[in-house]
Amino acid sequence: MSEPVKLTDASAYESFLDKYDTFLIDCDGVIWHGNNVLPNLREALSLNIEIHDGEIFGSAYASAYYIKNVLKFPKEKKVYVVGDVGIIEELESEGIRYAGANEDSNFDTSNWDFANIKQDPEVGAVLCGFDIHVNYLKYAKAFTYLNSNPECLFFLTNDDPTFPANGTIYPGGGAIAAPLITALGRKPDGIFGKPNKPMLDCIIQHLNLNPERTCMIGDRLDTDILFGINGGLGTLFVLTGVNKEQDILAMDARIIPDYYMASLGDISVLDK
């Protein structure tokens, strides 16, 4: 396996750019941390880079798009959601009916009774994602749908164990889904976020991309970079997030990008 090329000067940067027409850029850890844009990125983002509606693909969007347009989920069925408002908005945008989410966020334990867990016969799938309001009621309902109906589909928006914020890391969507996976003893039928292929299938279908002329830019090796490798894309790894330079240069490194650089913000320096 060849060593990655480090972009440190204008010549290397220009050679890199000549190879690609399209760039898929992870945001958290590459462009910002939490609500803060990373150093040098303010100048880089002033380079007349245009971003249009329909060019931002999150795992929630990929989930809704794939369920509707690829899986052809029946219109008479609902998706039970363990997740926050972002997932609901994406399902609504695709015209997919749903249950759960906010309606099960207010969990009154003082009146708890297992007999209160009622099944909606229209639910045909469970979609689990990041949920800051996750509770036992949501887990119990999701488990019941999946455990009692072998035909009920089980999806994750993503399986990231953690995500970076405020200079550290916190449990991610994969950690939210772990109790369900453990209780069911069953793997999900589909995982839509990186590094899994369904998200790339959605992007390629939506934008009609040529994978050979497309580069994935990210800060996390086991999601962003592996996503690019799995999809036959070029890959650029930046050192502003979860993984560091030693993770790709070590003798036992398993995931190797094509290129890497200290920060995407360095583009503004190399471009001069």
Side-chain angles (χ1 to χ4, degrees), residues 162-215:
T162 61
F163 70 94
N166 298 323
T168 184
I169 57 174
Y170 295 94
I176 299 295
L180 271 180
I181 295 171
T182 299
L184 291 164
R186 167 184 172 182
K187 293 182 179 180
D189 297 301
I191 304 172
F192 299 111
K194 300 167 296 184
N196 303 284
K197 198 169 180 292
M199 175 177 269
L200 184 59
D201 291 339
C202 293
I203 295 172
I204 290 176
Q205 179 176 320
H206 188 76
L207 298 178
N208 193 29
L209 300 182
N210 176 2
E212 294 182 356
R213 296 285 299 175
T214 302
C215 180

Side-chain angles (χ1 to χ4, degrees), residues 18-264:
D18 286 343
K19 294 186 65 174
Y20 305 107
D21 301 317
T22 305
F23 298 90
L24 305 181
I25 306 174
D26 177 58
C27 294
D28 204 358
V30 177
I31 296 176
W32 59 65
H33 280 166
N35 294 323
N36 301 311
V37 176
L38 291 171
N40 295 335
L41 257 296
R42 292 186 185 279
E43 186 174 353
L45 293 175
S46 68
L47 297 176
N48 297 319
I49 300 173
E50 295 185 0
I51 301 175
H52 303 284
D53 186 33
E55 294 182 344
I56 300 176
F57 295 85
S59 60
Y61 170 80
S63 302
Y65 185 92
Y66 197 91
I67 290 171
K68 170 71 178 295
N69 299 289
V70 180
L71 294 179
K72 309 297 184 183
F73 190 68
K75 293 182 179 180
E76 68 273 12
K77 291 292 187 179
K78 294 179 183 176
V79 175
Y80 183 80
V81 177
V82 179
D84 286 330
V85 65
I87 298 175
I88 296 304
E89 290 174 347
E90 298 295 356
L91 291 175
E92 289 178 341
S93 72
E94 293 294 333
I96 299 172
R97 302 167 68 225
Y98 63 88
N102 292 342
E103 69 183 37
D104 289 334
S105 291
N106 297 321
F107 177 35
D108 184 2
T109 58
S110 65
N111 295 317
W112 171 255
D113 190 324
F114 282 98
N116 293 334
I117 300 177
K118 306 296 184 181
Q119 293 192 59
D120 184 340
E122 295 183 325
V123 168
V126 169
L127 176 60
C128 184
F130 185 75
D131 189 347
I132 61 173
H133 301 106
V134 69
N135 57 43
Y136 188 81
L137 177 61
K138 292 182 180 181
Y139 280 135
K141 283 190 173 183
F143 174 85
T144 301
Y145 284 124
L146 293 164
N147 190 56
S148 63
N149 180 8
E151 295 183 359
C152 186
L153 299 170
F154 181 24
F155 300 127
L156 307 186
T157 60
N158 69 83
D159 59 353
D160 295 353
T162 61
F163 70 94
N166 298 323
T168 184
I169 57 174
Y170 295 94
I176 299 295
L180 271 180
I181 295 171
T182 299
L184 291 164
R186 167 184 172 182
K187 293 182 179 180
D189 297 301
I191 304 172
F192 299 111
K194 300 167 296 184
N196 303 284
K197 198 169 180 292
M199 175 177 269
L200 184 59
D201 291 339
C202 293
I203 295 172
I204 290 176
Q205 179 176 320
H206 188 76
L207 298 178
N208 193 29
L209 300 182
N210 176 2
E212 294 182 356
R213 296 285 299 175
T214 302
C215 180
M216 177 67 207
I217 302 175
D219 68 297
R220 188 166 190 145
L221 295 173
D222 61 358
T223 55
D224 304 326
I225 302 306
L226 187 57
F227 175 71
I229 293 172
N230 288 344
L233 313 180
T235 51
L236 170 63
F237 171 57
V238 296
L239 306 176
T240 49
V242 173
N243 293 114
K244 303 304 176 187
E245 188 171 18
Q246 60 266 28
D247 295 326
I248 61 172
L249 298 182
M251 292 293 294
D252 59 349
R254 296 182 300 106
I255 302 172
I256 310 296
D258 298 310
Y259 301 90
Y260 75 104
M261 63 194 307
S263 167
L264 193 61

